[in-house]
Amino acid sequence: MKSPSCVYDNYDVIENKLLPALYTITFIIGFVGNAWGLKLLLQKWQKLGNINIFVLNLGLSNVLYLFTLPFLMVYYFTGRKWIFGGVFCKMTRFCFNLNLYCSIGFLTCISVYRYLAIVHPLRMMGRLTVTRSVAISVLVWVLVSVQSIPDIFFPKTMNGTDKCFHSTSFEKADYYLKYSLVWTTTGFCIPLLIILGCYGHVAVVLCRRNTIEKTLKQKSVKFLFILILLFSVCYIPYHIFWNLSLYSRALSKQEICVWWDKRVFTGHQISRGLVCLNSALNPLVYLQMTEHIVSHIRQLPQQVRKLFRRVNVCSSNTLAVSKTEEEALEQSTIPTSGSA
């Protein structure tokens, strides 16, 4: 919500057209990818390793957020008219924050485990247990929940309107900016620095050591590429434009209209759509971290070929049986020499 003196005409156009389109794409791709990946993970539950515990929790956080997207799609498709009540509005926004920062947290855990396994394999042998992985996962959920709870106490709706604010009302913008800066530091900047430190050291070790298996090097490079994709497309633009937009609103509250406000708001709306794509891109982590899923994908063409072969064999057998029946029928209708 902007100050009346700082409103631009195309704000509603950006929100009502861009966001629902990106939400729709994310819901379709994300729901199919996460449901399929989680199904294969649960089928191999007994074989789950330490890192795969984090992958499973990553998928659960994605699914939790994806269930809220249809309500947001309705909200923006109808011109920002929230019809589901104030409590559910806060729940929807809470699930978004929970998914966002749990995703970053679990990606950080995966990076740290990969770092320890490559750089300190002997020292960490026997210490990276499933029990500890589960305990760390629970800790991530608790920390992110505690970090996100204050957001619930900021007003998300306004009396006499049917809005569901992504941040808070205009009157609380300056307070929300302070909270957001702390939130960004603890939930995004610190994990990003940890990931950069881990993979920076891993890159040095992979270049210097010739004893590391080629497959392990390839997995590390692929996972690094996924991290770069997620952070450059989803996380970094969102946090930059998110805080700049809040800062602009805080200035607007003082009746100060900055020249870059319109561009920042446009960038913020685009980044809001892109950050939700993390639920559609995170299944790439499933493919990289779980070997049985990769092998399952590789076997799909072979399974399809076998299916076609069975269909062809069945068709050939059916034609052969039909031809035999026709020949038998023709022979039964041919009169014999002793017939009248």
Side-chain angles (χ1 to χ4, degrees):
M1 183 178 179
K2 292 285 179 181
S3 171
S5 59
C6 300
V7 172
Y8 293 95
D9 294 335
N10 68 336
Y11 279 2
D12 291 342
V13 175
I14 296 172
E15 283 188 311
N16 298 338
K17 290 186 177 180
L18 176 66
L19 289 180
L22 289 175
Y23 286 157
T24 304
I25 294 172
T26 301
F27 179 76
I28 296 173
I29 299 177
F31 190 80
V32 173
N34 283 280
W36 179 62
L38 287 175
K39 178 186 175 183
L40 293 178
L41 278 173
L42 293 176
Q43 287 177 348
K44 303 292 183 178
W45 178 257
Q46 298 298 330
K47 296 182 180 180
L48 285 178
N50 302 324
I51 291 182
N52 288 334
I53 296 294
F54 300 133
V55 178
L56 178 62
N57 283 275
L58 181 65
L60 293 176
S61 69
N62 291 334
V63 172
L64 177 66
Y65 172 60
L66 288 171
F67 278 123
T68 67
L69 280 184
F71 302 98
L72 292 175
M73 290 157 55
V74 172
Y75 175 58
Y76 288 108
F77 272 128
T78 56
R80 290 189 301 165
K81 295 181 180 179
W82 186 259
I83 60 175
F84 306 106
V87 175
F88 194 72
C89 170
K90 290 189 175 184
M91 288 178 58
T92 301
R93 301 307 186 184
F94 179 79
C95 287
F96 165 79
N97 295 322
L98 199 65
N99 165 250
L100 174 61
Y101 293 104
C102 276
S103 296
I104 295 174
F106 290 123
L107 289 173
T108 305
C109 292
I110 293 172
S111 301
V112 172
Y113 264 47
R114 178 60 61 85
Y115 162 78
L116 294 174
I118 293 176
V119 180
H120 305 289
L122 297 179
R123 189 181 303 175
M124 291 297 109
M125 187 175 297
R127 295 185 180 183
L128 303 179
T129 62
V130 173
T131 303
R132 290 183 178 179
S133 299
V134 172
I136 293 173
S137 299
V138 173
L139 182 62
V140 171
W141 282 103
V142 172
L143 291 177
V144 173
S145 298
V146 171
Q147 182 181 247
S148 304
I149 284 176
D151 180 66
I152 298 177
F153 296 97
F154 283 92
K156 298 293 182 183
T157 56
M158 191 166 54
N159 294 332
T161 65
D162 49 5
K163 304 299 181 184
C164 179
F165 300 134
H166 176 64
S167 54
T168 189
S169 61
F170 176 73
E171 291 75 14
K172 300 290 184 179
D174 49 350
Y175 298 103
Y176 199 87
L177 173 61
K178 297 176 183 178
Y179 167 59
S180 176
L181 290 175
V182 176
W183 201 354
T184 301
T185 302
T186 57
F188 169 71
C189 293
I190 293 177
L192 177 60
L193 291 176
I194 293 174
I195 291 174
L196 291 175
C198 288
Y199 263 87
H201 197 176
V202 166
V204 173
V205 171
L206 291 178
C207 292
R208 290 181 177 178
R209 294 183 186 175
N210 297 324
T211 57
I212 299 177
E213 296 181 1
K214 184 178 179 181
T215 55
L216 183 58
K217 290 184 178 181
Q218 292 176 345
K219 285 183 179 181
S220 299
V221 172
K222 289 178 181 178
F223 185 64
L224 179 60
F225 172 77
I226 294 173
L227 288 177
I228 293 174
L229 178 65
L230 284 169
F231 275 87
S232 60
V233 173
C234 301
Y235 304 139
I236 294 177
Y238 172 77
H239 284 91
I240 291 175
F241 285 108
W242 165 249
N243 287 287
L244 284 176
S245 180
L246 288 173
Y247 178 61
S248 173
R249 290 175 60 187
L251 293 177
S252 298
K253 187 178 177 180
Q254 304 174 19
E255 298 184 356
I256 301 175
C257 301
V258 292
W259 63 269
W260 42 263
D261 179 80
K262 180 179 179 180
R263 297 176 182 177
V264 165
F265 183 85
T266 303
H268 175 49
Q269 300 309 314
I270 295 174
S271 66
R272 280 178 60 189
L274 292 178
V275 74
C276 76
L277 286 176
N278 84 93
S279 296
L281 295 176
N282 278 334
L284 294 174
V285 181
Y286 305 159
L287 305 182
Q288 172 59 26
M289 304 306 300
T290 50
E291 297 180 357
H292 61 275
I293 294 181
V294 178
S295 62
H296 182 81
I297 294 175
R298 291 174 179 173
Q299 292 174 1
L300 284 179
Q302 184 179 359
Q303 293 176 357
V304 172
R305 286 194 295 268
K306 289 182 179 179
L307 179 62
F308 278 114
R309 289 174 184 173
R310 291 177 182 176
V311 172
N312 291 332
V313 170
C314 292
S315 301
S316 302
N317 292 337
T318 303
L319 291 175
V321 171
S322 300
K323 186 175 181 180
T324 303
E325 291 177 349
E326 290 177 0
E327 292 176 351
L329 182 62
E330 289 178 356
Q331 292 178 359
S332 64
T333 56
I334 298 175
T336 58
S337 58
S339 62

